[in-house]
Structure formats: structure tokens, C-alpha cells
Amino acid sequence: MALIEIKNICKTYFTDEIATPVLFDMSFEIEEGEFVAIMGPSGSGKSTLLHILGFLDEQTKGTYNFNGKKMDDYTGSEIAKIRNKEMGFVFQSFNLLARTTVYENVRLPLIYSDIPEREWHKLAMDAIKTVGLEHRLDFETSKLSGGEKQRVAIARALVTNPKVIFADEPTGNLDSKSGQKIMETLQKLNITKGHTIVLITHETYTAEHAQRIIRIVDGHITSDRKVTKRRDANHGFKK
């Protein structure tokens, strides 16, 4: 059973009775443990698709199954719980809390979870160690570099041990060296810890770190292929 399965998904926005179609008849599956890049130019519908996959928006037509159950069959409270526990989100703009420490940012999702409070410290520390920021534990996030801020965002996405991490252009605001570090971190989460990663990007270089690339142009899937020569964030390419 696929973790994510969409069938004939369409999305149309309506403004003052004007219809603007964005996604057209999309179908694919993502298995648990896969690292998939959804790639396309600006305006192709990538982020709209991610918002549907992340339960942040709803499709106009078609069906979306997450973990074997239709999105339409989840209650509002179940959807909120899934977003908090089963899904982690990393955005281009970091979305960190201002004037708070690395530790406080990473711990935040636990406050809204059903995880016992006695476990919060260990979970937050484990996530921070995973991205290599123990030495920045008590730093305010405003004093971090862009790459460090994104690693905090990844740690925050990890802290509830989600089934899937959605990363929307996570290297978009970073220099090439910092971007490479972020892709190294995401690869390690996939390879060593088995996290499912869904990466949104417009860059071929970034997409090639994934196992599979789904290309989107003007709201249509134009190709869906395995990466035969996968890019290694540390050492160039690997099979």
C-alpha cells in the first residue's frame, strides 16, 4: 500500500466567478521510504500540489489517499493531528519564530501533539543533533546563517518523527554551499532513518538528489522517472 496515492487530481481556483485551472488530471503514488522530487518551472503548480498533499488545501476533483484512507474521509480533527504528527514541513522562507532559541523552535510542534511532556526534551535534542546544531542550542534563530536556519526548520519538521517530510524549495534562499548541506541532511534522513521525502524544486541539480523525479509543466505531469545517476550531496554522483 502506497503512503501517498493521488488519482485524477485537478485544482481550479475561483475568483469573482473567474475559473483559473492550475492542476490537470494528475495521478501517481509515493511509497513509504521514497525520496521523490516534484520538479518544474515557476508557476507550474508544484506548490499547489504540495499544499494538497500536505492537507493544506483540497483538490477540486479526483481522490487523494494518505496512508490508505481518502482525504475526504478524515475529520477536521484527524487532519490536524496528521499534519502535526505524520507530516513535517520545510519551507523556503524558514518560518521560524523570531526572538526564540533553536531549542524553543524545534520543541514547538510537541506542544500541540499528544506526546507526553516528559519526552519533549529528548525528542527535541535528538532532532537538533540529527541536523548537527547542538552547538547552537541556545542561540536565537535571528543570529544564525541561512543554512543554519533551514537546518533548524528541518529539525522542527523531524521532532514528531513524521511519516513524510514535505520540503518546498528548501535551498531557494541559500548559497550553493549551504544548499548542498541541506540536501546532504535530507538525503541522510531518507537513507539512514527511512523518512519519506517529497521535495519541491525548480532546479535539476537539487532534484537529482532524489530517487525519482516527477516533472510538472503548466499543471500537467510530463514525466515520472527513476533517477539512474543519483547525485550525492558529498561525493558527486552515486547509483
Side-chain angles (χ1 to χ4, degrees):
M1 180 182 68
L3 177 63
I4 289 170
E5 180 183 12
I6 67 169
K7 294 181 179 179
N8 309 118
I9 288 287
C10 299
K11 179 65 180 180
T12 300
Y13 291 104
F14 296 91
T15 305
D16 296 329
E17 299 183 357
I18 298 173
T20 305
V22 179
L23 303 179
F24 302 88
D25 199 31
M26 289 190 168
S27 298
F28 60 80
E29 296 181 1
I30 297 176
E31 300 292 335
E32 190 164 354
E34 270 197 283
F35 188 159
V36 178
I38 297 174
M39 180 184 170
S42 178
S44 61
K46 304 185 303 297
S47 292
T48 298
L49 176 58
L50 180 140
H51 288 162
I52 292 171
L53 297 180
F55 285 4
L56 301 170
D57 199 356
E58 295 183 19
Q59 69 272 18
T60 307
K61 295 181 181 178
T63 59
Y64 172 26
N65 293 342
F66 180 80
N67 208 22
K69 185 175 177 178
K70 287 184 180 179
M71 179 184 182
D72 296 342
D73 293 338
Y74 286 108
T75 66
S77 60
E78 285 175 333
I79 285 175
K81 187 174 181 179
I82 287 169
R83 279 202 303 257
N84 178 264
K85 173 63 179 174
E86 307 291 349
M87 298 176 175
F89 297 90
V90 180
F91 297 102
Q92 180 177 346
S93 56
F94 315 133
N95 292 345
L96 302 177
L97 293 178
R99 296 183 297 279
T100 55
T101 67
V102 168
Y103 177 80
E104 289 167 334
N105 269 277
V106 173
R107 194 183 69 160
L108 181 65
L110 299 170
I111 296 173
Y112 302 99
S113 74
D114 56 5
I115 297 171
E117 187 173 355
R118 64 180 179 274
E119 298 178 20
W120 292 359
H121 177 72
K122 183 179 186 304
L123 289 170
M125 290 302 300
D126 286 347
I128 291 167
K129 288 175 183 176
T130 296
V131 300
L133 284 178
E134 316 85 297
H135 62 298
R136 294 286 192 259
L137 189 67
D138 296 319
F139 275 56
E140 286 191 8
T141 54
S142 60
K143 299 178 181 177
L144 302 178
S145 68
E148 288 174 330
K149 289 178 181 178
Q150 196 60 290
R151 284 154 65 191
V152 174
I154 292 173
R156 185 180 58 190
L158 280 177
V159 74
T160 59
N161 192 32
K163 286 184 179 294
V164 57
I165 296 173
F166 295 108
D168 191 358
E169 299 280 6
T171 64
N173 284 334
L174 305 178
D175 60 69
S176 59
K177 184 177 180 180
S178 298
Q180 190 175 31
K181 182 68 175 178
I182 294 305
M183 294 314 302
E184 174 190 341
T185 301
L186 291 174
Q187 272 194 342
K188 285 182 178 179
L189 291 174
N190 173 247
I191 294 169
T192 65
K193 295 186 179 292
H195 285 285
T196 307
I197 310 288
V198 178
L199 170 72
I200 300 294
T201 184
H202 66 277
E203 299 173 331
T204 301
Y205 173 88
T206 303
E208 286 175 342
H209 289 85
Q211 299 165 312
R212 174 181 163 205
I213 299 174
I214 299 172
R215 292 182 183 270
I216 297 177
V217 177
D218 295 333
H220 296 270
I221 294 177
T222 60
S223 66
D224 184 348
R225 65 174 180 85
K226 296 287 185 181
V227 177
T228 56
K229 199 174 183 183
R230 188 180 182 189
R231 191 177 292 275
D232 186 325
N234 288 319
H235 307 296
F237 288 96
K238 65 182 178 183
K239 292 185 179 180

